[in-house]
Amino acid sequence: MSREKLIEMTRSLVEHGKADTMELVDEVVAVPASDYTDEARFELEKEKIFKRLPLMVAPSCELPEPGCFKAMEIAGIPVLVTRQKDGTAQSFLNSCTHRGNPVAQGSGKASRFVCGYHGWTFKNTGELMGIASAQDFGAVDKAAFCLKKFPTLERAGLIWATLDPDSTLDIETYLCGYDELLNHFGLENWILFEQRTLPGPNWKTAYDGYLDFYHLPVLHANTFGADFYNRANYFAWGPHQRLSAPSKTSQMVGSDEQIDLTQMDEKDWPIEALTQGVWTIFPHISIASFYGGGGRGAMISQLFPGKNVGESFTTQFYVMEKEPDSDEVRQGAHDQFAFLETVVADEDYTTGKRQHEALQSGMLEKVWFGRNEGGGQAFHQWVDRLIKADDDDLPGIFAGEVSDETLEAAE
């Protein structure tokens, strides 16, 4: 059923491409400019969104083998993600249960973690193995001092975690069936080619850009080109969205060839055509396909809010379907990733920072999203809805977004 859904979406894109049209939402919508600049709202967004909704903490290929781990900070919470001996992924609060010191830093491989303060030792499954000078410390129940676990799910080559150990929101429910579509990328078998972290503007300012093709031929005239498309149709699964340009053609991996989908049977449409565009996972992930050097790749952008309202940071993972088999493919992938740094850092985020500084003047009361910017409208509506929702409301909100079609696809 999920492939049929991909074909259905592509059919819609082809028809709009043939007609030179796009889907438009009902009206132009205003968003208060203070939504981007108000410190109190920013803190509320961190509490109500980043600290209680499932977040994509790592692509599976970042932790390819048992023992792999990485430490990270999300909205002020220290997080440890590990690949355990049985191959499953698990996330923990990166804080020793003795006095709170982080037990891991950076990334690497380890079967155990030793706290650098007093030497308490934990397995990479979170169990407390040993207490330094146990005979002096006194009797404790080790089982009561394990690292605090966060709910974790690995699906479609991505690892999600909810930074609330007591969350009643099931991660699978939160995904609203979107993972069934993402599974067609085959990311669970891809490799991590390169990664980097970039500073950015307010997290919503940054995320707006991932939901917007409207700016492409203007802001990116010197990189993508002034004749680049600026239209996108939007497809939604709860708060998660795919945006793709209406077109009857699709690029083939390994060449600049554009195939005419109208001249092919739908069942023969290649996966590149079925998954083209930008796939966003609320509230902070973008996945976009690229073909540097002839190898099929994707850039996964992982966005988190910074320490204040005007800052964010984005880790970009360039993942590839297979390890480059030649220097030419390897250099092409490297060049593609370097090009994307210019696009995002020098164009998108530099503009976003200027935009934020201007909004902080307080002279504009509202910003606007047009009928052709339905993705941005939906994103801000979901942010508003979720920061107002009680914890107990969350399971029902996302369960209500699972359609009969989605349920059939999962069966």
Side-chain angles (χ1 to χ4, degrees):
M1 286 294 295
S2 56
R3 183 177 174 86
E4 291 176 14
K5 182 62 179 176
L6 289 174
I7 290 174
E8 177 188 323
M9 288 188 285
T10 304
R11 186 187 304 130
S12 171
L13 292 167
V14 168
E15 290 303 315
H16 277 284
K18 287 164 57 178
D20 193 26
T21 57
M22 66 178 294
E23 293 181 0
L24 300 171
V25 295
D26 293 337
E27 58 187 353
V28 177
V29 168
V31 170
S34 61
D35 282 5
Y36 293 93
T37 60
D38 185 78
E39 288 279 1
R41 181 184 172 92
F42 173 66
E43 293 300 324
L44 188 62
E45 289 165 352
K46 288 195 293 183
E47 291 295 326
K48 296 292 188 178
I49 293 178
F50 285 91
K51 293 184 181 181
R52 67 173 185 166
L53 295 182
L55 305 171
M56 198 288 284
V57 292
S60 297
C61 56
E62 190 182 10
L63 306 175
E65 301 172 351
C68 289
F69 75 90
K70 76 165 180 176
M72 59 195 304
E73 182 181 301
I74 302 173
I77 298 176
V79 178
L80 173 62
V81 189
T82 70
R83 176 79 65 191
Q84 300 175 120
K85 187 176 181 180
D86 64 0
T88 59
Q90 181 60 54
S91 54
F92 303 93
L93 180 67
N94 185 15
S95 185
C96 179
T97 49
H98 173 216
R99 299 272 280 278
N101 186 57
V103 299
Q105 296 180 345
S107 61
K109 289 190 72 173
S111 60
R112 62 186 65 183
F113 300 101
V114 180
C115 177
Y117 192 7
H118 295 96
W120 282 33
T121 303
F122 300 84
K123 294 181 181 179
N124 80 342
T125 56
E127 299 169 61
L128 176 60
M129 291 179 63
I131 298 172
S133 303
Q135 72 279 7
D136 299 328
F137 187 84
V140 296
D141 178 5
K142 288 183 181 178
F145 285 83
C146 298
L147 295 179
K148 185 170 289 189
K149 284 187 177 183
F150 293 130
T152 306
L153 175 71
E154 186 168 18
R155 187 67 58 81
L158 303 169
I159 302 169
W160 279 270
T162 306
L163 306 187
D164 175 3
D166 302 316
S167 175
T168 59
L169 174 59
D170 179 71
I171 298 176
E172 191 169 5
T173 299
Y174 173 74
L175 294 176
C176 302
Y178 195 51
D179 51 315
E180 295 290 333
L181 283 298
L182 292 173
N183 196 51
H184 286 275
F185 278 91
L187 294 174
E188 68 274 11
N189 298 314
W190 288 31
I191 62 102
L192 177 59
F193 180 71
E194 288 185 2
Q195 72 182 84
R196 60 172 168 250
T197 300
L198 303 174
N202 171 269
W203 76 275
K204 295 193 303 298
T205 302
Y207 204 64
D208 283 343
Y210 295 108
L211 291 164
D212 175 9
F213 283 7
Y214 188 32
H215 75 282
L216 295 182
V218 181
L219 182 59
H220 303 306
N222 295 325
T223 46
F224 286 130
D227 58 349
F228 210 63
Y229 48 77
N230 73 346
R231 289 175 166 178
N233 285 2
Y234 299 88
F235 308 91
W237 294 259
H240 318 299
Q241 300 186 67
R242 175 197 179 186
L243 55 156
S244 192
S247 176
K248 63 179 183 177
T249 64
S250 177
Q251 182 179 349
M252 293 298 291
V253 173
S255 75
D256 294 328
E257 177 189 0
Q258 295 283 332
I259 58 171
D260 188 341
L261 298 177
T262 64
Q263 302 303 308
M264 301 175 64
D265 191 299
E266 290 181 354
K267 66 179 176 57
D268 297 323
W269 283 348
I271 194 64
E272 299 96 309
L274 299 180
T275 57
Q276 66 182 330
V278 176
W279 296 72
T280 65
I281 307 169
F282 187 91
H284 70 132
I285 299 296
S286 163
I287 303 172
S289 297
F290 294 97
Y291 307 103
R296 184 175 176 221
M299 187 168 78
I300 302 174
S301 300
Q302 181 190 55
L303 170 68
F304 290 116
K307 293 188 182 298
N308 63 59
V309 69
E311 297 177 347
S312 66
F313 60 95
T314 300
T315 299
Q316 298 177 323
F317 303 94
Y318 195 80
V319 299
M320 299 190 71
E321 186 175 25
K322 58 185 69 174
E323 188 75 40
D325 58 6
S326 70
D327 291 341
E328 181 182 6
V329 173
R330 186 173 296 103
Q331 186 61 49
H334 177 77
D335 292 345
Q336 177 72 79
F337 194 44
F339 168 77
L340 293 171
E341 180 175 19
T342 297
V343 170
V344 175
D346 297 347
E347 296 177 348
D348 287 309
Y349 284 3
T350 295
T351 298
K353 291 174 183 177
R354 288 197 297 262
Q355 176 187 346
H356 186 81
E357 289 172 1
L359 290 178
Q360 282 185 309
S361 71
M363 299 299 289
L364 282 182
E365 293 184 2
K366 300 176 181 179
V367 297
W368 298 88
F369 289 81
R371 296 182 64 203
N372 60 337
E373 298 178 291
Q377 290 190 23
F379 167 63
H380 286 273
Q381 289 161 3
W382 272 102
V383 171
D384 284 344
R385 181 181 183 185
L386 291 170
I387 64 175
K388 295 172 184 175
D390 293 332
D391 291 356
D392 293 341
D393 295 334
L394 296 179
I397 287 174
F398 295 104
E401 294 293 328
V402 181
S403 65
D404 292 339
E405 183 180 271
T406 298
L407 291 173
E408 291 173 6
E411 291 176 351

